[in-house]
């Protein structure tokens, strides 16, 4: 996603393991293309790093705004309160000493804000419980990470719905040369099985994510249980401020 090739000689040097697996430079714009299982382009996502700094508790937070675009790079819109508006969400990642944590609660709250009217939001109570979604900076080959379990709870007008999410079989895939329209990167991969369950319905898929330290995700694939690729996204450009 950008002209970052000059960084490659440094990314896996002695200090590489200490680098977060996310871009922390405000103003950087990363654009991703999404494809379906047949390789057909289905749209883009434009992510802009808004800020990186300590919160009120002194924890480093990276704020990123993501905007959905169609295949012509026009904003994807939906109707909210009788008006068409762009589908934009804000993601928060906490960067710790040796790992990063995706703030799932904040992410889903932003999604609800973007898709529900103010009246619908006022009637809905939302909460997240369970483990944190963490990824360590040092992803050693064949390392297995702990399973994670968390749940999303929605309540409105006396009724509630609980969605259970499990992340299991978390395996580090090692380093690989990943070619993208944005350039060629030496990346490290993480494979995970993600399961969603509510009522009697349960859906699972395997996800492979390839990270470049100091930059973030350069490729992501979704696979069936049998290993068939159902879709993927890849970095197509990186623009620095």
């Amino acid at each position: 996603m950008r002209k970052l090739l000059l960084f490659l000689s440094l990314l896996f040097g002695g200090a590489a393991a200490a680098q977060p697996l996310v871009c922390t430079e405000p103003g950087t714009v990363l654009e991703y293309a999404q494809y379906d299982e047949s390789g057909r382009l289905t749209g883009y996502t434009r992510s802009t790093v808004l800020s990186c700094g300590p919160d009120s508790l002194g924890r480093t937070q990276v704020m990123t705004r993501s905007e959905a675009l169609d295949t012509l790079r026009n904003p994807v819109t939906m109707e909210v309160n009788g008006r068409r508006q762009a589908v934009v969400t804000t993601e928060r990642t906490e960067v710790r000493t040796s790992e990063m944590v995706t703030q799932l609660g904040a992410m889903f709250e932003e999604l609800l804000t973007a898709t529900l009217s103010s009246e619908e939001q006022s009637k809905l109570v939302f909460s997240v419980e369970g483990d944190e979604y963490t990824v360590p900076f040092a992803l050693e080959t064949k390392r297995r990470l702990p399973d994670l379990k968390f749940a999303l709870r929605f309540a409105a007008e006396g009724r509630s719905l609980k969605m259970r999410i499990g992340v299991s079989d978390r395996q580090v895939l090692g380093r690989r040369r990943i070619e993208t329209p944005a350039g060629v990167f030496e990346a490290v991969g993480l494979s995970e099985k993600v399961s969603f369950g509510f009522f009697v319905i349960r859906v699972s898929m395997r996800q492979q994510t390839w990270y470049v330290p100091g930059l973030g995700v350069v490729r992501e694939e979704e696979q069936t249980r049998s290993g068939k690729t159902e879709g993927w996204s890849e970095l197509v450009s990186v623009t620095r401020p």
Side-chain angles (χ1 to χ4, degrees), residues 144-194:
R144 298 184 70 89
L145 304 183
D147 291 352
L148 305 172
K149 291 183 179 181
F150 42 92
L152 309 177
R153 187 185 297 275
F154 305 87
E157 299 179 344
R159 304 179 65 181
S160 65
L161 170 67
K162 186 174 183 179
M163 177 185 290
R164 293 178 174 81
I165 303 175
V167 185
S168 60
D169 195 17
R170 308 179 74 203
Q171 305 176 42
V172 179
L173 302 173
R175 299 177 184 178
R176 183 180 301 175
R177 188 180 176 87
I178 300 294
E179 295 186 16
T180 75
V184 181
F185 303 93
E186 293 296 326
V188 60
L190 177 62
S191 175
E192 305 171 303
K193 178 183 176 183
V194 183

Side-chain angles (χ1 to χ4, degrees), residues 45-121:
T45 299
R46 182 176 295 143
S47 296
T48 304
V49 182
L50 300 178
S51 63
C52 177
D55 61 13
S56 59
L57 299 177
R59 301 170 301 190
T60 299
Q61 302 281 350
V62 179
M63 301 277 291
T64 304
R65 183 184 66 229
S66 294
E67 181 180 11
L69 308 174
D70 63 19
T71 55
L72 298 177
R73 289 187 169 85
N74 297 313
V76 173
T77 62
M78 64 183 304
E79 188 170 314
V80 179
N81 287 332
R83 295 188 305 171
R84 303 295 300 184
Q85 65 180 45
V87 180
V88 179
T89 58
T90 303
E91 300 154 12
R92 296 174 175 83
T93 301
E94 182 179 331
V95 177
R96 299 178 179 174
T97 303
S98 60
E99 64 183 7
M100 61 184 189
V101 181
T102 299
Q103 304 293 342
L104 293 172
M107 181 179 71
F108 279 98
E109 285 177 1
E110 288 286 346
L111 183 60
L112 293 174
T113 299
T115 57
L116 299 180
S117 67
S118 55
E119 181 180 356
E120 290 171 327
Q121 292 175 44

